[in-house]
Amino acid sequence: MPLSLRSRPFSQTLFVSIVALIAIIVIGITLVDYSIAERNLRDHQRMLEGQTEIELNDSIMLVDAGLKLFDDTMNGEMERGLAQFNDEYERADRDASAMNLTRIKREVFLDEMDLYVINASNTIEFTTYPPDQDLDFNTQPEFAEYLNRIRNTSGFYPDRVVREPGSNVLRKYAYAPTSDHRYILELGMIGETFRTERQRLKYTAMIEDIRSSNPYVEEIRIFTRFGRQVGNSSFRSDPTLKARLDRVIESKVGFDWICPKTGDKIRYKYIDLFDADYGTDLSMVAELTYSTAPLTEALGDLVWFHAIAALAALMVGLVTAGIVSGRLTGPIRGLVGDVDAIAQGDLEHPIAPIPAREFTVLETSITSMIERLKGTIEQLQQHEMSLSESEDRYRRTLDLVSDYAFCRVLESDGRWVTVWWAGAPERVCQYTSDQIDGLGGWEALVHPDDRAALEGHMTAVLVNEPYESAFRILSSEGEIRWVSHRTMPILDPLAGRVTGYYAAGQDVTDRKKNEVALRESEEKYRQLVEDAGSIILRLGPDGTIWYVNEFAERYFGYEPGELLGRDVTGTIVPELDAEGVRMGDVVHGICRDPSENFIHQNENIRKDGSRVFITWTNRRIVGEDRSPLGILCVGNDITRLKEAEAENRRLYAELEERVRKRTEDLAAANRELESFTYTVSHDLRSPLRAIDGYTYILQHEHQTELTGSALRYLDQISQNARRMARLIDDLLNFSRTGRQALVLRDLDPAVLVAEVLDDIDGERQGRDVQVTVGGLAPCRADPALLKQVFANLIGNALKFTRSREVAEIEVGSFEENGRPVYYVRDNGVGFDQKYASTLFQVFHRLHDATEYEGTGVGLAIVQRIVERHGGRCRVESEPGRGTTFFFTLGEENGDGAERREGHPAG
Amino acid sequence: MEPNGEKDILLVEDNPHDVELILHVFEWSNLHGRVRVVWDGQEALDALFEEKVRPRVILLDLKLPKVGGLEVLRQIKEDASLREIPVVVFSSSAEERDIALSYGLSANSYIVKPVEFDRFAEVVREIGCYWQLINRTPVGGSRPD
């Protein structure tokens, strides 16, 4: 399409659109209106047709009715006349031929009527009107029928006024049968008498009225049944017309006929005026000639009218469209112009405001776009500046860090051209940068065997990949130098391809030498590790085995290399150890552990599934840059040790169990003993009480019956019983001191000693007893038991100083070997030192009971108590010089006896 | 002192020798007629709970057949009508435990029976005098005075 919308001005398009819209609307309306109008017109025409026809029908009928009415007015006269006629017939003796009709006509009817006599064959036999003589009515079947009907009845049968065919004279006939029904008498009134009166009712005028009222009707003609036009005496029919009329008359139905000449529609309607009461059927045929001309004309007018209206509307529309589109597109053009100006480069060009919301938004958007554009342009400019700065810096940096560096760009002809050099390449290869350029670039210096490395660089550059490699070059003096060479492509983002590259390198000849040395050293190290007799592993930070030495492989039963790369957990470290600990977690813990050294033991597993114990020393290895290189693990088998430990523990547990049982048994035995002694002592005492009791009673209440010796014997009995009681008490006491639990407290013995002295105060009565209490070191002991010790010792001292005038008892303590030693000294009777050891035995006495009472249990009790406190006691004595008892109280917590009693050494 | 034959002292003791000796001593104070002797714990309970005797003092030995002395003591002290009768536990046991238990059960006194008869006699006599003559029982106590 030559006219594309893009190149047409918007206003045009808009204009055309509006116009098209208007046109469519207008045409649409016009067509609709026209068709409505046309339909209306046609309807109107039809309606008018219908109306006209109805009116015609009605009018004709009305006229006919009028005529009928008029006609009937003469009925009376005619009836009388027929009666008279009949009288004449009678007077003639019913002989019709005998009647003198002319005389009757003249005399009776005054020549106003014609007389007819119709015989039984429906023929006019006699008449005064010669033209009708012998007229056979059978030629008119309907009329004959009528005659036959009336013949056999009696009555008067008037007929309508009719125009006589041929003569156009109006006549009114009436019929009546003779009284003998042989003939029908007919009278015919001559029309002249009523013609004028009848004149008033004319069809023609009415027709004219009707015709004029309907513009579509060109002509209306009414025809009688005989083909005569009503109101037109000079009418001459033509055959075609007659044929049509006859058709209607016969069929009694109208029809439409298009005149071939004029094309007019001619409608024939049958006006049925038949009245059975009258012989003559005055029905008519109406012929209406409708002309289409008026309709066509009207329609033509309509079309013209509408066309003009449409045109006018279109005109108006065009103008309006033009104005509107102009008004609407004006601002757009303005906007377009503004934006165009901006696009041309004038960023500051203002945008004229337009009064519409969308345009305002547009304006705002464009403005902000421009702002952003300005900003971007500024940015780009800055960027460019910094780029070139950066390139400068880059170059200077390369200068510093590399031994040599250069920048090459690809020319349009495919050649590489060096743009700049940095560094001092002559330091590396003894060529200056110019010389190198002259040789064709750095490639020229590469050792023939290392060409491949250089190719790698170029390939990488072309695919925009940085590349690094080390290769040999030949200096100008033919010396081989190693360089580490790095290339970095330059990508042109707009062009989308590499346009150049940077290259930088360093002389690494020395480093290479070092590398070799390092490798050799590593090799030595590896050898060492391999030959070591310990398990050596290196693990990655995630527990992967990076290295395992031969010894380890053999130890764990793996093939060489089989463990490499596998997770240490699941291979040599079991998933779960014997105690169900998840070893994997332990391993990871070790791997994460920040401490440098980490020594631990754990269960490991051989390939064959057997469990072993290994003590591991784990050390994190870090590289020079402190990056972790893994964990070095050195292990030593301690399975044997572990087994021994386990055995130990088991034995210990067993021992503990045994000890516990033994203690329990002992405790049980103790309890038994306790209850036993209690019961026994109670049961032993009762009889003694009885003995003493009865003895007493005998001694004091039956003295008179007894001899002196009997009384003395009784006394002995009593004394022995008491003695036994005391023995029992002492034994009980002794037993208890051995068994009862120590309640250790920090105490001052001086308090206990004071109590004891208080208790024995009674025994001091009547004696001179000097008691000296020296400093007593505080100790930790059972107060009750310690008191008993002092009680027994002081009691003894008191007892064995009885012989002295002045009893001297001394209680005190001194320090020996860092511990306090308590003593009780008396100036009593003393004894031979060689018996000292026996003194503490139960019941052992060195003096008989007669001299010094006592059961011999007291000192045994003292010794037992002291020993239970972890201490020792001893005695020093000299006969006649007194006795000193010493005792210590063992360790601070006095556990000695307890230890002996039940708890084994740990 | 009731002259109407009411037994003021209930002696609960299973050892017949001890009983004889105690009664012998009470004889010296003319109290032996007021002593009702029961030979075991059950008899003691029967006397107190069935016969409903209400002595002024009960001398109770601990080691008794059938029902033990401590049990008798406990029942006496738990009964509202018997609680106020003073109970002297009179036992040959000097065990700390027995003493503690007895006082724990609200014994009014605990006396160890000495083996030496003279002391024994003294104790008994003193008991008799003390409870009979010196000690006051609450007014409206265990039985109408």
Side-chain angles (χ1 to χ4, degrees), chain A residues 408-423:
Chain A
R408 292 187 118 195
V409 294
L410 190 61
E411 292 289 306
S412 43
D413 57 6
R415 284 186 310 121
W416 286 98
V417 171
T418 310
V419 174
W420 49 258
W421 276 92

PDB file of all heavy atoms in Angstrom, chain A residues 408-423:
ATOM      1  N   ARG A 408      48.811  -4.786  23.729  1.00  0.00           N
ATOM      2  CA  ARG A 408      48.740  -4.942  22.280  1.00  0.00           C
ATOM      3  C   ARG A 408      47.303  -4.839  21.828  1.00  0.00           C
ATOM      4  O   ARG A 408      46.389  -5.309  22.527  1.00  0.00           O
ATOM      5  CB  ARG A 408      49.255  -6.324  21.885  1.00  0.00           C
ATOM      6  CG  ARG A 408      50.738  -6.502  22.114  1.00  0.00           C
ATOM      7  CD  ARG A 408      51.224  -7.809  21.549  1.00  0.00           C
ATOM      8  NE  ARG A 408      52.211  -7.547  20.504  1.00  0.00           N
ATOM      9  CZ  ARG A 408      52.598  -8.472  19.632  1.00  0.00           C
ATOM     10  NH1 ARG A 408      52.080  -9.663  19.668  1.00  0.00           N
ATOM     11  NH2 ARG A 408      53.516  -8.151  18.726  1.00  0.00           N
ATOM     12  N   VAL A 409      47.139  -4.206  20.653  1.00  0.00           N
ATOM     13  CA  VAL A 409      45.788  -4.155  20.103  1.00  0.00           C
ATOM     14  C   VAL A 409      45.804  -4.750  18.704  1.00  0.00           C
ATOM     15  O   VAL A 409      46.832  -4.789  18.040  1.00  0.00           O
ATOM     16  CB  VAL A 409      45.245  -2.711  20.044  1.00  0.00           C
ATOM     17  CG1 VAL A 409      45.067  -2.145  21.443  1.00  0.00           C
ATOM     18  CG2 VAL A 409      46.141  -1.832  19.204  1.00  0.00           C
ATOM     19  N   LEU A 410      44.611  -5.224  18.355  1.00  0.00           N
ATOM     20  CA  LEU A 410      44.471  -5.868  17.053  1.00  0.00           C
ATOM     21  C   LEU A 410      44.067  -4.817  16.037  1.00  0.00           C
ATOM     22  O   LEU A 410      43.024  -4.178  16.169  1.00  0.00           O
ATOM     23  CB  LEU A 410      43.407  -6.967  17.144  1.00  0.00           C
ATOM     24  CG  LEU A 410      43.273  -7.911  15.950  1.00  0.00           C
ATOM     25  CD1 LEU A 410      44.562  -8.681  15.709  1.00  0.00           C
ATOM     26  CD2 LEU A 410      42.139  -8.905  16.197  1.00  0.00           C
ATOM     27  N   GLU A 411      44.899  -4.621  15.037  1.00  0.00           N
ATOM     28  CA  GLU A 411      44.574  -3.630  14.023  1.00  0.00           C
ATOM     29  C   GLU A 411      43.533  -4.165  13.073  1.00  0.00           C
ATOM     30  O   GLU A 411      43.269  -5.375  13.042  1.00  0.00           O
ATOM     31  CB  GLU A 411      45.833  -3.263  13.224  1.00  0.00           C
ATOM     32  CG  GLU A 411      46.859  -2.503  14.047  1.00  0.00           C
ATOM     33  CD  GLU A 411      46.383  -1.086  14.352  1.00  0.00           C
ATOM     34  OE1 GLU A 411      46.028  -0.346  13.413  1.00  0.00           O
ATOM     35  OE2 GLU A 411      46.334  -0.743  15.548  1.00  0.00           O
ATOM     36  N   SER A 412      42.974  -3.259  12.270  1.00  0.00           N
ATOM     37  CA  SER A 412      41.912  -3.675  11.345  1.00  0.00           C
ATOM     38  C   SER A 412      42.437  -4.632  10.296  1.00  0.00           C
ATOM     39  O   SER A 412      41.707  -5.448   9.750  1.00  0.00           O
ATOM     40  CB  SER A 412      41.287  -2.440  10.675  1.00  0.00           C
ATOM     41  OG  SER A 412      42.319  -1.560  10.301  1.00  0.00           O
ATOM     42  N   ASP A 413      43.760  -4.580  10.039  1.00  0.00           N
ATOM     43  CA  ASP A 413      44.285  -5.498   9.021  1.00  0.00           C
ATOM     44  C   ASP A 413      44.732  -6.818   9.624  1.00  0.00           C
ATOM     45  O   ASP A 413      45.448  -7.601   8.995  1.00  0.00           O
ATOM     46  CB  ASP A 413      45.448  -4.826   8.246  1.00  0.00           C
ATOM     47  CG  ASP A 413      46.550  -4.380   9.200  1.00  0.00           C
ATOM     48  OD1 ASP A 413      46.462  -4.698  10.410  1.00  0.00           O
ATOM     49  OD2 ASP A 413      47.497  -3.724   8.732  1.00  0.00           O
ATOM     50  N   GLY A 414      44.394  -7.039  10.883  1.00  0.00           N
ATOM     51  CA  GLY A 414      44.686  -8.318  11.500  1.00  0.00           C
ATOM     52  C   GLY A 414      46.030  -8.382  12.185  1.00  0.00           C
ATOM     53  O   GLY A 414      46.419  -9.409  12.729  1.00  0.00           O
ATOM     54  N   ARG A 415      46.813  -7.315  12.139  1.00  0.00           N
ATOM     55  CA  ARG A 415      48.121  -7.344  12.802  1.00  0.00           C
ATOM     56  C   ARG A 415      47.986  -6.944  14.257  1.00  0.00           C
ATOM     57  O   ARG A 415      47.121  -6.137  14.609  1.00  0.00           O
ATOM     58  CB  ARG A 415      49.079  -6.343  12.116  1.00  0.00           C
ATOM     59  CG  ARG A 415      49.638  -6.823  10.783  1.00  0.00           C
ATOM     60  CD  ARG A 415      50.679  -5.835  10.243  1.00  0.00           C
ATOM     61  NE  ARG A 415      50.207  -4.475  10.253  1.00  0.00           N
ATOM     62  CZ  ARG A 415      50.821  -3.469  10.921  1.00  0.00           C
ATOM     63  NH1 ARG A 415      51.928  -3.693  11.585  1.00  0.00           N
ATOM     64  NH2 ARG A 415      50.319  -2.234  10.911  1.00  0.00           N
ATOM     65  N   TRP A 416      48.850  -7.528  15.075  1.00  0.00           N
ATOM     66  CA  TRP A 416      48.917  -7.109  16.473  1.00  0.00           C
ATOM     67  C   TRP A 416      49.959  -6.010  16.580  1.00  0.00           C
ATOM     68  O   TRP A 416      51.070  -6.179  16.100  1.00  0.00           O
ATOM     69  CB  TRP A 416      49.322  -8.282  17.367  1.00  0.00           C
ATOM     70  CG  TRP A 416      48.214  -9.274  17.564  1.00  0.00           C
ATOM     71  CD1 TRP A 416      48.046 -10.445  16.873  1.00  0.00           C
ATOM     72  CD2 TRP A 416      47.142  -9.167  18.482  1.00  0.00           C
ATOM     73  NE1 TRP A 416      46.931 -11.092  17.316  1.00  0.00           N
ATOM     74  CE2 TRP A 416      46.343 -10.318  18.328  1.00  0.00           C
ATOM     75  CE3 TRP A 416      46.761  -8.218  19.432  1.00  0.00           C
ATOM     76  CZ2 TRP A 416      45.204 -10.542  19.061  1.00  0.00           C
ATOM     77  CZ3 TRP A 416      45.619  -8.457  20.160  1.00  0.00           C
ATOM     78  CH2 TRP A 416      44.844  -9.608  19.979  1.00  0.00           C
ATOM     79  N   VAL A 417      49.599  -4.951  17.229  1.00  0.00           N
ATOM     80  CA  VAL A 417      50.553  -3.856  17.376  1.00  0.00           C
ATOM     81  C   VAL A 417      50.702  -3.530  18.855  1.00  0.00           C
ATOM     82  O   VAL A 417      49.698  -3.411  19.575  1.00  0.00           O
ATOM     83  CB  VAL A 417      50.041  -2.599  16.618  1.00  0.00           C
ATOM     84  CG1 VAL A 417      50.900  -1.400  16.955  1.00  0.00           C
ATOM     85  CG2 VAL A 417      50.024  -2.873  15.126  1.00  0.00           C
ATOM     86  N   THR A 418      51.925  -3.416  19.309  1.00  0.00           N
ATOM     87  CA  THR A 418      52.150  -3.078  20.707  1.00  0.00           C
ATOM     88  C   THR A 418      51.926  -1.588  20.902  1.00  0.00           C
ATOM     89  O   THR A 418      52.533  -0.770  20.213  1.00  0.00           O
ATOM     90  CB  THR A 418      53.600  -3.429  21.107  1.00  0.00           C
ATOM     91  OG1 THR A 418      53.870  -4.769  20.700  1.00  0.00           O
ATOM     92  CG2 THR A 418      53.772  -3.314  22.604  1.00  0.00           C
ATOM     93  N   VAL A 419      51.071  -1.256  21.837  1.00  0.00           N
ATOM     94  CA  VAL A 419      50.702   0.134  22.073  1.00  0.00           C
ATOM     95  C   VAL A 419      51.640   0.773  23.090  1.00  0.00           C
ATOM     96  O   VAL A 419      52.054   1.911  22.937  1.00  0.00           O
ATOM     97  CB  VAL A 419      49.242   0.221  22.563  1.00  0.00           C
ATOM     98  CG1 VAL A 419      48.879   1.630  22.961  1.00  0.00           C
ATOM     99  CG2 VAL A 419      48.303  -0.302  21.491  1.00  0.00           C
ATOM    100  N   TRP A 420      51.937   0.036  24.162  1.00  0.00           N
ATOM    101  CA  TRP A 420      52.902   0.576  25.121  1.00  0.00           C
ATOM    102  C   TRP A 420      53.596  -0.541  25.862  1.00  0.00           C
ATOM    103  O   TRP A 420      53.122  -1.664  25.904  1.00  0.00           O
ATOM    104  CB  TRP A 420      52.274   1.553  26.120  1.00  0.00           C
ATOM    105  CG  TRP A 420      51.010   1.084  26.809  1.00  0.00           C
ATOM    106  CD1 TRP A 420      49.755   1.476  26.488  1.00  0.00           C
ATOM    107  CD2 TRP A 420      50.899   0.176  27.907  1.00  0.00           C
ATOM    108  NE1 TRP A 420      48.857   0.885  27.328  1.00  0.00           N
ATOM    109  CE2 TRP A 420      49.532   0.072  28.220  1.00  0.00           C
ATOM    110  CE3 TRP A 420      51.807  -0.563  28.679  1.00  0.00           C
ATOM    111  CZ2 TRP A 420      49.043  -0.741  29.243  1.00  0.00           C
ATOM    112  CZ3 TRP A 420      51.311  -1.367  29.708  1.00  0.00           C
ATOM    113  CH2 TRP A 420      49.948  -1.456  29.972  1.00  0.00           C
ATOM    114  N   TRP A 421      54.757  -0.206  26.436  1.00  0.00           N
ATOM    115  CA  TRP A 421      55.519  -1.130  27.270  1.00  0.00           C
ATOM    116  C   TRP A 421      55.588  -0.567  28.665  1.00  0.00           C
ATOM    117  O   TRP A 421      55.593   0.639  28.866  1.00  0.00           O
ATOM    118  CB  TRP A 421      56.956  -1.253  26.741  1.00  0.00           C
ATOM    119  CG  TRP A 421      57.080  -2.242  25.637  1.00  0.00           C
ATOM    120  CD1 TRP A 421      56.986  -1.994  24.301  1.00  0.00           C
ATOM    121  CD2 TRP A 421      57.330  -3.634  25.769  1.00  0.00           C
ATOM    122  NE1 TRP A 421      57.140  -3.138  23.582  1.00  0.00           N
ATOM    123  CE2 TRP A 421      57.360  -4.191  24.479  1.00  0.00           C
ATOM    124  CE3 TRP A 421      57.545  -4.499  26.852  1.00  0.00           C
ATOM    125  CZ2 TRP A 421      57.592  -5.525  24.230  1.00  0.00           C
ATOM    126  CZ3 TRP A 421      57.769  -5.836  26.600  1.00  0.00           C
ATOM    127  CH2 TRP A 421      57.791  -6.348  25.286  1.00  0.00           C
ATOM    128  N   ALA A 422      55.688  -1.483  29.645  1.00  0.00           N
ATOM    129  CA  ALA A 422      55.965  -1.058  31.016  1.00  0.00           C
ATOM    130  C   ALA A 422      57.024  -1.985  31.563  1.00  0.00           C
ATOM    131  O   ALA A 422      57.279  -3.066  31.006  1.00  0.00           O
ATOM    132  CB  ALA A 422      54.693  -1.132  31.846  1.00  0.00           C
ATOM    133  N   GLY A 423      57.609  -1.605  32.659  1.00  0.00           N
ATOM    134  CA  GLY A 423      58.644  -2.441  33.253  1.00  0.00           C
ATOM    135  C   GLY A 423      59.943  -2.313  32.498  1.00  0.00           C
ATOM    136  O   GLY A 423      60.148  -1.366  31.731  1.00  0.00           O
TER     137      GLY A 423
END
